[in-house]
Amino acid sequence: MPSPIRAVIFDMDGILIDRERIYLERTLRFLKQEGIPFQMADVLALAGGSSAHAERFVRKVAGSDVNMADFFRRMDACCPMPDAAQLMFPHEREVLTWLAERYPLALASSSRMERIQEVLSACRLDGLFRFCLSGEMFTESKPSPQIYLTAAKMLALPPQACVAIEDSTYGILAAKRAGMRVIARKDERFGFDQSQADACFSDYRELPDILCALQNR
């Protein structure tokens, strides 16, 4: 018999904010403006990846001796990111508030902690999560299960009692390898393989019923 669901762990990009779409659009715009050759498959592979994935991509397209800080500074100046609150999904805040009254919530993102804190503050979500974990805290990024195993340990729960909310191939694999059930936000724009997810949702209002259904599996 499956363990009862006792906690919910969220990814951030693609789950709390629709940042991956904006990030890929601005990356394409900047590369074209700078005349930097690239393969579209490499750009799409950035979705759901860590900062280490992004740095490997930059070295591939701009050369191994590229000044990484200068590259990203020029991209930010060329294509500034919109405010995070503008990238939230419909009904997200009310559903997260409802969930936080019933489950401990945690966040496990490949993004830098500084960025995580900026997003949660801008979206007024920072009071809903027990703790946040950043990919920069770990030696291996998703699809390694490290971040999810650590989240379960900090929640004092077995991984089987936790559900991860993910979207990317990397994230889904990481949570499944940790032994968690996964609910994926449907996204067909980046070629994500979501076949290993236990359930999928398109609208945040579907989450409560999906969690209830998973309790009985």
Side-chain angles (χ1 to χ4, degrees), residues 6-206:
R6 297 174 58 193
V8 185
I9 306 171
F10 285 79
D11 180 36
M12 186 176 78
D13 292 326
I15 297 298
L16 300 186
I17 57 171
D18 195 13
R19 181 175 180 265
E20 288 163 343
R21 172 180 59 85
I22 299 297
Y23 183 73
L24 294 184
E25 286 175 358
R26 72 197 287 264
T27 299
L28 287 170
R29 194 179 320 135
F30 178 69
L31 293 174
K32 289 175 181 177
Q33 177 178 296
E34 295 284 308
I36 299 173
F38 62 91
Q39 297 293 321
M40 181 60 74
D42 291 333
V43 177
L44 292 175
L46 291 170
S50 64
S51 57
H53 285 100
E55 290 180 6
R56 285 196 294 270
F57 169 79
V58 172
R59 289 194 177 94
K60 181 175 182 178
V61 298
S64 58
D65 59 346
V66 63
N67 183 316
M68 202 68 64
D70 179 65
F71 184 94
F72 287 115
R73 188 163 45 245
R74 286 187 290 122
M75 186 162 73
D76 288 339
C78 162
C79 315
M81 287 288 291
D83 182 77
Q86 300 174 33
L87 304 178
M88 293 179 71
F89 295 96
H91 313 292
E92 176 185 328
R93 188 179 291 110
E94 62 249 47
V95 172
L96 285 172
T97 300
W98 185 92
L99 290 174
E101 294 171 353
R102 291 157 176 81
Y103 301 95
L105 305 184
L107 190 143
S109 169
S110 296
S111 295
R112 294 176 293 108
M113 185 60 75
E114 178 184 12
R115 175 64 183 164
I116 292 171
Q117 292 170 343
E118 288 174 356
V119 167
L120 294 184
S121 176
C123 296
R124 295 185 288 119
L125 299 173
D126 38 355
L128 299 180
F129 296 93
R130 297 285 180 91
F131 58 83
C132 299
L133 296 177
S134 162
E136 65 186 352
M137 301 164 64
F138 300 90
T139 57
E140 297 180 29
S141 57
K142 299 174 184 177
S144 165
Q146 277 189 347
I147 193 168
Y148 278 114
L149 291 171
T150 300
K153 186 175 181 179
M154 291 177 66
L155 289 162
L157 292 171
Q160 295 78 10
C162 304
V163 168
I165 312 297
E166 275 283 359
D167 65 323
S168 72
T169 306
Y170 301 132
I172 293 168
L173 282 174
K176 294 300 288 185
R177 288 172 180 175
M180 297 182 182
R181 282 165 282 184
V182 179
I183 302 174
R185 189 189 69 77
K186 291 180 184 176
D187 198 324
E188 299 175 349
R189 297 171 295 179
F190 311 118
F192 291 150
D193 179 2
Q194 299 183 326
S195 61
Q196 291 197 45
D198 298 276
C200 295
F201 72 99
S202 299
D203 187 313
Y204 256 91
R205 291 172 295 184
E206 299 168 352

